[in-house]
C-alpha cells in the first residue's frame, strides 16, 4: 500500500490511508519504518522485504530534504502531525525519531549508502539539533 503510494507519488496511501507527507514516528511513515525494522528483528530478517524498508527510508529522506528547504539549509526536517508548522527537532516522534530510524536502517544494512550519499544532510541536521539547544 505505502510502496504503491511512493511509486505513484500519491499524497495518501490507498488502503491504509497513510499521509505520505507525515514522517513522524508516532503517526506516520517514520513509525512504519520502525515497525518494519522491528518486525524483521523479531520475526526474522526477511519478514519484511529489505527493498520496502530501503524505499521507505529513501522516501523519508526525500520528504526531509523538501521540508528542510523551508529553513534555507541542507537539513532533514519532518512536520509534527498535530501542528504542521511545528517541527519539534529533538523529539522522539519528530525529527529526532526519524533520524534515529534512518541511522538504525543504515546500521542494520538496509541503507548501506546513507552516510556516503546523505552524510551532509544528516550531519547538518544533528548540528541543527545542537545549535537550537545551545542558542541561549
Amino acid at each position: 500500500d505505502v510502496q504503491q503510494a511512493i511509486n505513484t507519488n500519491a499524497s495518501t496511501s490507498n488502503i491504509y490511508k497513510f499521509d505520505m507527507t507525515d514522517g513522524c514516528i508516532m503517526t506516520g511513515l517514520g513509525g512504519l519504518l520502525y515497525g518494519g525494522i522491528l518486525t524483521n528483528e523479531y520475526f526474522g530478517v526477511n519478514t519484511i522485504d529489505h527493498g520496502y524498508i530501503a524505499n521507505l527510508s529513501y522516501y523519508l529522506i526525500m520528504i526531509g530534504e523538501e521540508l528542510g528547504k523551508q529553513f534555507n539549509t541542507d537539513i532533514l526536517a519532518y512536520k509534527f502531525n498535530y501542528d504542521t508548522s511545528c517541527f519539534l527537532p529533538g523529539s522522539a516522534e519528530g525529527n529526532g525519531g526519524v533520524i534515529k530510524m534512518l541511522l538504525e536502517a543504515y546500521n542494520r544494512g538496509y541503507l548501506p549508502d546513507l552516510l556516503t550519499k546523505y552524510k551532509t544532510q544528516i550531519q547538518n541536521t544533528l548540528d541543527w539539533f545542537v545549535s537550537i539547544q545551545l542558542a541561549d
Side-chain angles (χ1 to χ4, degrees):
D1 181 49
V2 169
Q3 181 64 45
Q4 181 180 359
I6 290 171
N7 292 343
T8 61
N9 201 27
S11 61
T12 305
S13 70
N14 189 39
I15 297 170
Y16 297 106
K17 306 300 181 201
F18 272 99
D19 176 352
M20 297 303 292
T21 65
D22 184 353
C24 288
I25 292 293
M26 301 301 268
T27 60
L29 300 173
L32 191 61
L33 175 60
Y34 172 77
I37 291 171
L38 181 65
T39 298
N40 279 356
E41 183 176 321
Y42 189 76
F43 292 110
V45 73
N46 293 317
T47 304
I48 304 294
D49 185 277
H50 289 220
Y52 292 152
I53 292 173
N55 287 343
L56 179 56
S57 299
Y58 289 122
Y59 186 78
L60 281 164
I61 291 167
M62 184 187 76
I63 290 172
E65 287 177 320
E66 289 175 12
L67 289 175
K69 289 177 185 174
Q70 292 179 13
F71 296 99
N72 295 320
T73 188
D74 198 11
I75 64 170
L76 301 177
Y78 301 91
K79 72 177 186 173
F80 185 58
N81 61 315
Y82 298 110
D83 180 355
T84 58
S85 64
C86 178
F87 291 89
L88 291 176
S91 73
E93 67 262 45
N95 279 24
V98 177
I99 296 299
K100 164 74 171 144
M101 291 318 305
L102 291 173
L103 291 171
E104 283 294 329
Y106 166 77
N107 190 45
R108 294 165 194 263
Y110 298 109
L111 294 176
D113 63 347
L114 178 71
L115 295 181
T116 53
K117 282 179 90 171
Y118 302 102
K119 181 178 181 177
T120 299
Q121 292 90 334
I122 298 286
Q123 184 66 50
N124 288 347
T125 304
L126 296 174
D127 287 345
W128 180 53
F129 290 169
V130 172
S131 75
I132 61 174
Q133 298 299 318
L134 301 177
D136 297 53

